[in-house]
C-alpha cells in the first residue's frame, strides 16, 4: 500500500445547489417512454399514480439544464458530503502505470454507497406531496438500505421487496433495512398479484429485480398514499446522482487536472451518469475530448450485447415501455455477485448516448472484477463493493494501456460503495468458489424475441 | 431522524503531531508490571522478546508528557482523519433532553473502527526495527482487521489468531483480514503449545481472548523476526488512541462548548482512554470538573464487580503480571455480542484512575445496549458497533437524568465503530433471540480465587 494518499474535499458552501439535467443539453433527445396500452408518448400525468409528481416532471424534463436541490435534501447531503476525491497513488504504484488515477469515494455515506443521493430526494418529494408510505425493490440491498434510511429521515413508512435469493443469502442488508424500521419482504411473494402469478407457475422462483419491481409497483398502485421509488435506470434518479460529478468537477480543479477517461460501473446507469454527465456537458457544448466508459458485468451485458428496443422495465409488464438497450425484460441473469448490476435494461438517457457514440461500454468478467477489487483493497485500503469492482477493473485496463504507451492519462472512476457488507462474496472468491460465466448468443436472442413481440 | 446535523472537522495541519501520555501527569502512577518468575518490576528490556522496542519504552514511560507521532504514521492518519465530531441533534430530539450530546465518529476509518490508530503505529515501529512478521489475537475481528490493514501498509506479514466462535459465526471480518492478505487461524488451535494444551483438555473449546493471546505471544516468542501486537489494555495502545481525544478537544472548542461528561465503551480501556485522557489532563492539572464514565457489558464487569489485583493478561500465564481490575485470567465471559468488550481485565492506567476515583464505571445489559443502538441508528443514521452501543446507552442514561433535572449538560461519547459488519447481532436482537445475562457473585469469586494463588 502506498503511504501517500491525497484527498480533496469541498467546503460546505461548495456542495452543489443544483443537479445537472443532461437531457436539456443533448442534441438527440431520448425517445419518449410509451404508454404500453396506447403506445402513445407518456405525459408526466401518466406517471402520477406511481411516482411523486415532482419526480414525474423531472423524469420527462428535456428543457431545464439545472434543477434546484431542495434545502432539506441539501441539509441531509451535508451529513456525508462532500465525499472525498482521492488520488490513488497506491494503485498507480501497484500497476506501475504513468496514468494518474483518481476515484470519487461515495462509500463514505452512512449506508456505504451512493444510493442515498437519490433516496433522500425521492423520499423528500413524496413527503412534500402528503405521501405516507413508500415502496421499492432491492437486490443485494444497497438501494433498499438507502431508501429505508431516507424514509426514516422524512418520517415515512417504507416497504421493500428484496430479491429472494439475496434476502436469504445476504441477511446483513436486510437487517440494516429493518434497523431503520422498514418492512422487508422476500420477492416473489404471495402478497401481490404479480408475485402470486410467478409463484403459482414456478413455486421455487429465486426472484429477480424485474419481479420485485412488479410487486412494488403493484403495492404502490393499490395502496392509498403510497408511492413507488426506484434506485436506478430512470432519468430522475440519474439527475440526483449528478451531485457526484458536480463535486468531482470542482475537486479535479483543486487537483489541477482534468480527466481524459471517466468510468462508472453500470447497472441501470445512475452512478455512471452521476459521475459522467457533468463532465459530458463540456463534451457536448465545447467538444471537450473525454472518454466515458460504462463497466458492466459480462453476465448481464445489455450495453455490449443487448439491443436498442422499446421494452418493459419489469417482468410483469406494469411499467411504461422504455427506449433502451435491453436483454429482454424476461432476462434472468446468472447468480453472480455484482448484485446491483443484474438488471436487464439501461436508462433511456445512457441508451441514447451510447447509440450516439458519446460513451463506450466494456464488459467485465466476475473473476477479473474481484482481482481488481483485491488489488485496490491492498493498495488503497478500501474494500470495494462487488459492483464498484467492475469500474476498478476497467480503470486498471486503461491504466495498463498507458503503461504500454507511456501516456500520462488522467483516469477518474466512481467508487460507488464499499464491500464491508458483501464479504461473503469475497469469501467465496478467496476460497476459489467463484467462476466466470459465459452467456451464449442463443440465450440472448431467445429473450430478445419476446421483446420483438411487444 | 433530525434533518439537522453539525459536523466539525480539523484541517490537515491541525491533526495532532503528538500523542498524550497521561502517565507523566498522574499523581499516583500505575504500579509496575511484574516479571511473573521473579516478581520484580519489569524493565523495558524484559518486554523486548515480545514487542517492538520503542513500544516497550512507551509502555513504561512515566515521564514524557508528549510523544511525537512518527511522520509516516501521521501520513496514514490523513487517509481518514480528522474524524468528525458530531452534534447529535437527532438523538437529543428523540430523547427530549436539554443535554447537548456530541459524539466523535471513529467509524469513518477504512476498516470501520478506531483500532487503526494504534495498529498503524505498532506496525510502523515493528517495520522500523527490521521485524518482518507480526502476530496478534482478535475476537469479533475489529482489531485483527486493523492489524491486517496496517501490516499491508508497512509491508509486513500478519498472522492473526481469532477466537474460534467468532471465526465461525462472524466470517465477514475474517474475510476482511484475508482480503488484506493476513493469515487467520481459529483459536485455540493445534499450532501452539498453549492451544494444544487447551484442546487436549477441552476438545470443543470455543476460544477466548485470553487463549488467543497466549497463542499469538507464543508464536512471536518462537518465530525469528516476529513480534506480538495488542489491540487494547496496554498503555502504549491507549497512548496511540489519544489522537481521538486530542482532536475532540480542538473540535469541542470549534463548537464553543466543553464536555461535562465523557463516555467510552470499555473492553481493555484503549478507546475509553483515547477519548478521555486529553480532557482528564485538565482535571488533573487544573481541577476541571468533568465526569469520565466507562461503559462495560454487565456480562464482563471487571470495573464494577472485579477486584484490583496483580493478574495475568492471558489464559496460559505467558504475560507479565499486571496491576489491574480483573475478573480473573480464567474468566470465560458469556457468549454475548459485545465482541471486543469480553476481556477479563482493565489496563493498568485506567485501573489506577478508577482506584483513585478520577473516573467512574457503569455496567450495561445487552438488551439496553441494543435498544440504545437502534435508537441511535434511527435518530442519527449510523448503525453503531455492538461495543459502541454500550457508550450510547450510558450517554442516554445521563441525557435522561438531564431531562429530569432540566440541566443542559454537555455529553461527549466515542462512537468507536460502525456495526455494518455486525448485522448478525442486530438480526438476533430484532428477532427477539437475545437476552440479558446475570452473572452470579459466586461465579466471579470462583475465578478470583485463582488470582489469589498467583
Amino acid at each position: 500500500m502506498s503511504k501517500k494518499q491525497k484527498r480533496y474535499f469541498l467546503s460546505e458552501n461548495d456542495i452543489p445547489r443544483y443537479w445537472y439535467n443532461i437531457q436539456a443539453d443533448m442534441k438527440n433527445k431520448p425517445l419518449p417512454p410509451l404508454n404500453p396500452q396506447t403506445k402513445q408518448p407518456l405525459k408526466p400525468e401518466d406517471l402520477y399514480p406511481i411516482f411523486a409528481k415532482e419526480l414525474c416532471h423531472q423524469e420527462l424534463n428535456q428543457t431545464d439544464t439545472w434543477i434546484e436541490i431542495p434545502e432539506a435534501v441539501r441539509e441531509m447531503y451535508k451529513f456525508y458530503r462532500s465525499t472525498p476525491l482521492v488520488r490513488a497513488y497506491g494503485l498507480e504504484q501497484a500497476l506501475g502505470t504513468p496514468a494518474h488515477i483518481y476515484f470519487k469515494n461515495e462509500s463514505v455515506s452512512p449506508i456505504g454507497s451512493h444510493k442515498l443521493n437519490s433516496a433522500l430526494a425521492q423520499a423528500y418529494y413524496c413527503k412534500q406531496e402528503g405521501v405516507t408510505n413508500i415502496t421499492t425493490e432491492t437486490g443485494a440491498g444497497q438501494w433498499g438500505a438507502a431508501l429505508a434510511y431516507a424514509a426514516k429521515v422524512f418520517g415515512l413508512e417504507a416497504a421493500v421487496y428484496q430479491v429472494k435469493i439475496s434476502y436469504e443469502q445476504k441477511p446483513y442488508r436486510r437487517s440494516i433495512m429493518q434497523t431503520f424500521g422498514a418492512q422487508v419482504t422476500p420477492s416473489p411473494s404471495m402478497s401481490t398479484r404479480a408475485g402470486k402469478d410467478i409463484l403459482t407457475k414456478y413455486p421455487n422462483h429465486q426472484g429477480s429485480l424485474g419481479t420485485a419491481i412488479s410487486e412494488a409497483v403493484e403495492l404502490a398502485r393499490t395502496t392509498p398514499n403510497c408511492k413507488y421509488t426506484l434506485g436506478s435506470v430512470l432519468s430522475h434518479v440519474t439527475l440526483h446522482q449528478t451531485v457526484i460529478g458536480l463535486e468531482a468537477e470542482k475537486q479535479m480543479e483543486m487537483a489541477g487536472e482534468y480527466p481524459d477517461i471517466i468510468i462508472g460501473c453500470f447497472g441501470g446507469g445512475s452512478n455512471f451518469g452521476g459521475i459522467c454527465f457533468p463532465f459530458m456537458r463540456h463534451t457536448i457544448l465545447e467538444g471537450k475530448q473525454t472518454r466515458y466508459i460504462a463497466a458492466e458485468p459480462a453476465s448481464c451485458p445489455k450495453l455490449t450485447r443487448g439491443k436498442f428496443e422499446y421494452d418493459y422495465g419489469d417482468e410483469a409488464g406494469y411499467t411504461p415501455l422504455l427506449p433502451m438497450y435491453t436483454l429482454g425484460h424476461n432476462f434472468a441473469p446468472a447468480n453472480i455477485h455484482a448484485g446491483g448490476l443484474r438488471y436487464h435494461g439501461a436508462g433511456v438517457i445512457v441508451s441514447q448516448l451510447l447509440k450516439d457514440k458519446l460513451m463506450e461500454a466494456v464488459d467485465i468478467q466476475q473473476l477479473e472484477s474481484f482481482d481488481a477489487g483485491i488489488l485496490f483493497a491492498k493498495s488503497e485500503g478500501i474494500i470495494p463493493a462487488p459492483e464498484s469492482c467492475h469500474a476498478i477493473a476497467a480503470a486498471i485496463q486503461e491504466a495498463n494501456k498507458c503503461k504500454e504507451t507511456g501516456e500520462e492519462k488522467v483516469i477518474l472512476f466512481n467508487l460507488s460503495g464499499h464491500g464491508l457488507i458483501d464479504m461473503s462474496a469475497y469469501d467465496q472468491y478467496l476460497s476459489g468458489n467463484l467462476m466466470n460465466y459465459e452467456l451464449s448468443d442463443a440465450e440472448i436472442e431467445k429473450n430478445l424475441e419476446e421483446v420483438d413481440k411487444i
Side-chain angles (χ1 to χ4, degrees), chain A residues 36 42 44-53 55-56 122 126 129 131 133-135 213 216-223 225-230 234 236 314 318-320:
Chain A
L42 225 58
E45 304 82 79
D46 298 329
L47 294 169
Y48 285 0
I50 305 182
F51 298 105
K53 287 177 190 154
L55 297 170
C56 303
Q122 293 186 51
C126 285
E129 296 176 17
V131 169
N133 291 60
I134 52 179
T135 179
I213 293 176
V217 169
E218 184 178 326
L219 183 72
R221 277 181 171 174
T222 56
T223 309
N225 268 323
C226 179
K227 295 292 176 192
Y228 170 69
T229 64
L230 189 66
L234 292 178
H236 68 265
D314 70 325
Y318 285 168
T319 71

Side-chain angles (χ1 to χ4, degrees), chain A residues 193-387:
Chain A
R193 183 74 263 157
K196 277 178 205 160
D197 284 352
I198 289 165
L199 287 174
T200 310
K201 218 167 157 188
Y202 312 105
N204 293 310
H205 197 289
Q206 291 301 294
S208 72
L209 278 175
T211 305
I213 293 176
S214 297
E215 293 208 85
V217 169
E218 184 178 326
L219 183 72
R221 277 181 171 174
T222 56
T223 309
N225 268 323
C226 179
K227 295 292 176 192
Y228 170 69
T229 64
L230 189 66
S232 189
V233 184
L234 292 178
S235 302
H236 68 265
V237 184
T238 310
L239 172 74
H240 306 149
Q241 295 296 353
T242 58
V243 70
I244 302 171
L246 291 163
E247 283 184 2
E249 208 186 334
K250 294 187 198 174
Q251 290 165 312
M252 288 298 309
E253 214 173 293
M254 291 167 74
E257 304 215 77
Y258 193 91
D260 298 302
I261 300 170
I262 306 178
I263 299 167
C265 63
F266 196 95
S270 77
N271 102 82
F272 171 79
I275 189 153
C276 289
F277 291 174
F279 291 95
M280 205 181 275
R281 180 162 183 258
H282 304 293
T283 300
I284 295 174
L285 302 183
E286 303 148 30
K288 192 106 185 167
Q289 294 294 312
T290 306
R291 289 172 59 207
Y292 308 93
I293 306 176
E296 66 180 4
S299 57
C300 193
K302 61 218 135 201
L303 297 177
T304 51
R305 297 172 68 190
K307 206 169 159 185
F308 187 86
E309 290 271 15
Y310 270 101
D311 193 10
Y312 291 112
D314 70 325
E315 167 102 19
Y318 285 168
T319 71
L321 286 166
L322 300 170
M324 61 184 183
Y325 279 91
T326 180
L327 293 162
H329 60 278
N330 289 317
F331 180 77
N335 180 24
I336 56 141
H337 284 285
L341 306 181
R342 298 170 70 229
Y343 184 69
H344 68 274
V348 302
I349 298 176
V350 281
S351 291
Q352 186 64 44
L353 293 170
L354 184 65
K355 200 155 167 278
D356 291 342
K357 299 196 167 45
L358 270 154
M359 56 173 276
E360 311 162 37
V362 61
D363 61 331
I364 305 284
Q365 277 288 2
Q366 177 158 256
L367 295 183
E368 184 181 352
S369 74
F370 278 101
D371 279 347
I374 300 258
L375 181 67
F376 183 76
K378 288 187 175 169
S379 55
E380 292 295 328
I382 301 167
I383 298 180
E387 291 87 355

Side-chain angles (χ1 to χ4, degrees), chain A residues 12 15-19 54-55 58 67-82 110 114-128 149-151 153-154 156 236-237 239-243 247:
Chain A
E12 237 179 61
I15 294 172
R17 293 173 188 278
Y18 295 86
W19 293 302
E54 178 62 29
L55 297 170
Q58 289 180 358
I67 312 276
E68 192 166 7
I69 303 174
E71 194 49 39
V73 174
R74 207 165 161 266
E75 279 302 308
M76 288 307 303
Y77 280 176
K78 289 183 192 164
F79 276 47
Y80 61 99
R81 310 202 68 88
S82 68
H114 70 293
K115 293 287 186 189
L116 211 47
N117 300 330
S118 184
L120 289 166
Q122 293 186 51
Y124 167 79
Y125 288 120
C126 285
K127 182 68 180 182
Q128 282 301 98
Y149 179 108
V153 168
F154 290 108
L156 299 163
H236 68 265
V237 184
L239 172 74
H240 306 149
Q241 295 296 353
T242 58
V243 70
E247 283 184 2

Side-chain angles (χ1 to χ4, degrees), chain A residues 12-169:
Chain A
E12 237 179 61
N13 284 334
D14 280 335
I15 294 172
R17 293 173 188 278
Y18 295 86
W19 293 302
Y20 170 59
N21 177 22
I22 195 172
Q23 294 195 73
D25 285 336
M26 286 167 74
K27 276 159 200 155
N28 298 328
K29 307 288 184 201
L31 298 177
L34 302 180
N35 180 315
Q37 273 80 47
T38 65
K39 304 276 161 81
Q40 289 302 305
L42 225 58
K43 292 187 290 292
E45 304 82 79
D46 298 329
L47 294 169
Y48 285 0
I50 305 182
F51 298 105
K53 287 177 190 154
E54 178 62 29
L55 297 170
C56 303
H57 287 274
Q58 289 180 358
E59 185 63 25
L60 299 172
N61 186 334
Q62 300 194 332
T63 48
D64 302 313
T65 311
W66 301 101
I67 312 276
E68 192 166 7
I69 303 174
E71 194 49 39
V73 174
R74 207 165 161 266
E75 279 302 308
M76 288 307 303
Y77 280 176
K78 289 183 192 164
F79 276 47
Y80 61 99
R81 310 202 68 88
S82 68
T83 65
L85 175 81
V86 187
R87 170 80 182 267
Y89 288 108
L91 183 60
E92 291 173 19
Q93 207 174 302
L95 296 170
T97 178
H100 294 193
I101 307 177
Y102 292 83
F103 63 93
K104 180 74 171 158
N105 184 2
E106 290 291 307
S107 81
V108 301
S109 98
I111 54 131
S113 86
H114 70 293
K115 293 287 186 189
L116 211 47
N117 300 330
S118 184
L120 289 166
Q122 293 186 51
Y124 167 79
Y125 288 120
C126 285
K127 182 68 180 182
Q128 282 301 98
E129 296 176 17
V131 169
T132 55
N133 291 60
I134 52 179
T135 179
T136 197
E137 78 295 328
T138 197
Q142 273 194 355
W143 168 247
L147 193 80
Y149 179 108
K152 180 52 68 185
V153 168
F154 290 108
L156 299 163
E157 300 300 332
V160 181
Y161 286 93
Q162 182 171 23
V163 175
K164 194 197 277 169
I165 192 166
S166 299
Y167 180 92
E168 283 164 2
Q169 289 185 353

